[in-house]
Amino acid sequence: MENKQEEENGVCSAESVDGSLDVWSCQNSDSSSADHLVVMVHGILGSTDDWKFGAEQFVKKLPDKVFVHCSEKNASALTLDGVDVMGERLASEVLEIIQKRPNIRKISFVAHSLGGLAARYAIGKLYKPANQEEDLKEPLAESSEGPSRGTICGLEAINFITVATPHLGSMGNKQVPFLFGFSSIEKVAGLIIHWIFKRTGRHLFLKDEDDGKPPLLRRMVEDTGDCQFISALRAFKRRVVYSNVGYDRVVGWKTASIRRDSELPKWEDSLNDKYPHIVYEELCKACDVEDIPEGENHSDDIEEEIIKGLSSVSWEKVDVSFHSCRQRFAAHNVIQVKNEDMHIEGADVIEHIIDHFHA
């Protein structure tokens, strides 16, 4: 049940009793033709408001194409329950939205920080193999990464975009910048992190080897049991990671961009007036595990295994720098424009996401 609906500059938004936020075009002709569900997922201790600016920009630029849902099932302290629990909740939430909007044919995810891991878990639960595509109105074309991509709960999977997400976890040199890259500090943090960030902290620091199983983030780079994590990623037409090259005090450049130290590129100040904070872009093609070179640092084999697993699908990698911005020390929030008044310097990143979005 919706308790508050607003309209501004042709964009309608409704906040439900449960806290979710939906954004769509106020023009009936546009809203009726919008068949692309964009699920926006916030990060740790976040809320639906974190993506409010981004959601509104999506609808302003693609009014007849998208219906945006800002996830609410993992608001605030619920983000501390663990990546898997968050992913299960998000999967259930997506199914509820799809049932309410039978005209939806496509689906994309745009997730910030920890929300990117929850989204990866959720799509692993929602994935349907190619032979279960009976709900899809039109057959999918063959993919360059396989004969058929499968679907996400019967919908054509288009964009999977993460923004400053710790794909490799938070353990390792400079993965969490405020730990200053000292292994001794990181070891202590790994021992006490569950007191602060509870089960989620154990997942992020790869300290959850329960029942003899590998850490969850390691398991999430392959298809396991009822969670088809890699097949689900492969189902999307494109996968994109946006990462801060510096000043992000929460998620380091390496873990956000799924790279080894030796793969971090040299970047220069942007000369693009439209996207002044985009400093490097590259397309990393999918690699067979056998073809992926060993990393130069084997002190953390789990991290190497995660990189190899995620490299089995292609990624567009977009590197961002706010080093000359007034709010550069808040880069983790600026890249998302978490608060329009405080973090508006990241608006060009949101514009870049939308301009390159496959609608």
Side-chain angles (χ1 to χ4, degrees):
M1 181 181 297
E2 295 173 352
N3 66 349
K4 184 172 69 173
Q5 184 165 324
E6 299 178 353
E7 177 181 346
E8 184 177 351
N9 298 324
V11 176
C12 287
S13 62
E15 184 176 350
S16 299
V17 173
D18 59 10
S20 64
L21 177 68
D22 293 329
V23 185
W24 68 96
S25 172
C26 293
Q27 295 292 330
N28 288 332
S29 58
D30 287 340
S31 60
S32 61
S33 63
D35 64 351
H36 192 156
L37 173 63
V38 180
V39 182
M40 305 192 83
V41 191
H42 61 73
I44 197 164
L45 301 176
S47 72
T48 55
D49 286 343
D50 295 354
W51 273 121
K52 186 175 186 296
F53 176 83
E56 292 174 349
Q57 298 309 304
F58 257 101
V59 173
K60 287 179 181 178
K61 286 181 170 285
L62 303 170
D64 60 335
K65 297 288 195 299
V66 301
F67 177 89
V68 181
H69 175 77
C70 296
S71 172
E72 57 81 27
K73 292 295 185 183
N74 293 299
S76 192
L78 293 177
T79 57
L80 305 181
D81 292 340
V83 172
D84 52 352
V85 174
M86 290 178 62
E88 294 277 2
R89 292 191 192 120
L90 178 58
S92 297
E93 183 177 6
V94 170
L95 288 173
E96 291 175 9
I97 296 300
I98 293 171
Q99 291 170 358
K100 293 177 183 178
R101 300 191 66 84
N103 64 310
I104 295 295
R105 294 292 180 269
K106 306 172 185 176
I107 188 168
S108 291
F109 287 80
V110 182
H112 178 247
S113 195
L114 176 65
L117 297 179
R120 278 178 47 205
Y121 192 97
I123 63 173
K125 298 291 293 186
L126 296 170
Y127 175 74
K128 284 188 177 182
N131 59 3
Q132 296 182 21
E133 293 173 7
E134 65 274 5
D135 294 333
L136 198 66
K137 302 305 179 184
E138 298 179 4
L140 293 178
E142 289 193 357
S143 166
S144 60
E145 297 178 14
S148 184
R149 297 190 310 271
T151 69
I152 299 301
C153 47
L155 302 179
E156 185 177 7
I158 310 298
N159 309 270
F160 189 86
I161 302 169
T162 65
V163 181
T165 288
H167 288 285
L168 310 182
S170 300
M171 199 66 182
N173 186 39
K174 297 183 181 179
Q175 295 292 68
V176 180
F178 68 73
L179 296 180
F180 306 109
F182 293 114
S183 59
S184 58
I185 297 178
E186 289 178 344
K187 287 178 181 178
V188 173
L191 293 174
I192 66 172
I193 198 69
H194 64 282
W195 292 104
I196 305 171
F197 293 118
K198 299 184 179 180
R199 197 159 173 269
T200 295
R202 290 175 59 83
H203 288 156
L204 290 175
F205 276 78
L206 310 177
K207 297 296 183 181
D208 59 311
E209 295 175 306
D210 302 324
D211 302 322
K213 296 180 180 179
L216 178 63
L217 296 192
R218 168 62 183 85
R219 284 178 272 144
M220 284 173 56
V221 299
E222 57 190 16
D223 293 342
T224 59
D226 63 342
C227 291
Q228 308 297 302
F229 295 120
I230 285 297
S231 291
L233 277 175
R234 188 174 289 116
F236 286 83
K237 284 190 173 181
R238 60 192 292 260
R239 292 149 298 279
V240 193
V241 289
Y242 285 79
S243 54
N244 282 309
V245 303
Y247 290 103
D248 191 321
R249 298 310 192 215
V250 182
V251 177
W253 186 14
K254 184 172 74 169
T255 188
S257 63
I258 316 176
R259 292 185 177 111
R260 303 172 180 86
D261 281 322
S262 62
E263 295 170 336
L264 295 173
K266 294 181 179 179
W267 58 273
E268 298 178 351
D269 287 349
S270 174
L271 298 177
N272 190 324
D273 291 336
K274 188 174 185 181
Y275 312 120
H277 301 115
I278 305 296
V279 296
Y280 195 87
E281 297 180 67
E282 69 173 328
L283 172 62
C284 296
K285 295 182 179 180
C287 299
D288 293 331
V289 173
E290 295 78 9
D291 297 333
I292 300 173
E294 296 290 332
E296 70 281 350
N297 181 1
H298 299 284
S299 61
D300 191 345
D301 290 335
I302 293 177
E303 180 182 300
E304 181 66 25
E305 291 170 359
I306 294 173
I307 292 175
K308 287 182 177 180
L310 291 176
S311 297
S312 66
V313 296
S314 63
W315 292 91
E316 297 171 39
K317 299 184 178 183
V318 184
D319 300 304
V320 179
S321 175
F322 296 110
H323 68 284
S324 60
C325 294
R326 178 175 52 88
Q327 291 288 339
R328 59 185 176 277
F329 291 105
H332 190 68
N333 294 328
V334 174
I335 196 173
Q336 179 195 19
V337 192
K338 183 175 182 178
N339 179 293
E340 185 174 354
D341 293 330
M342 294 178 59
H343 307 131
I344 194 61
E345 289 173 305
D348 65 306
V349 178
I350 301 299
E351 187 172 12
H352 188 277
I353 291 174
I354 299 171
D355 287 348
H356 293 78
F357 191 83
H358 291 195

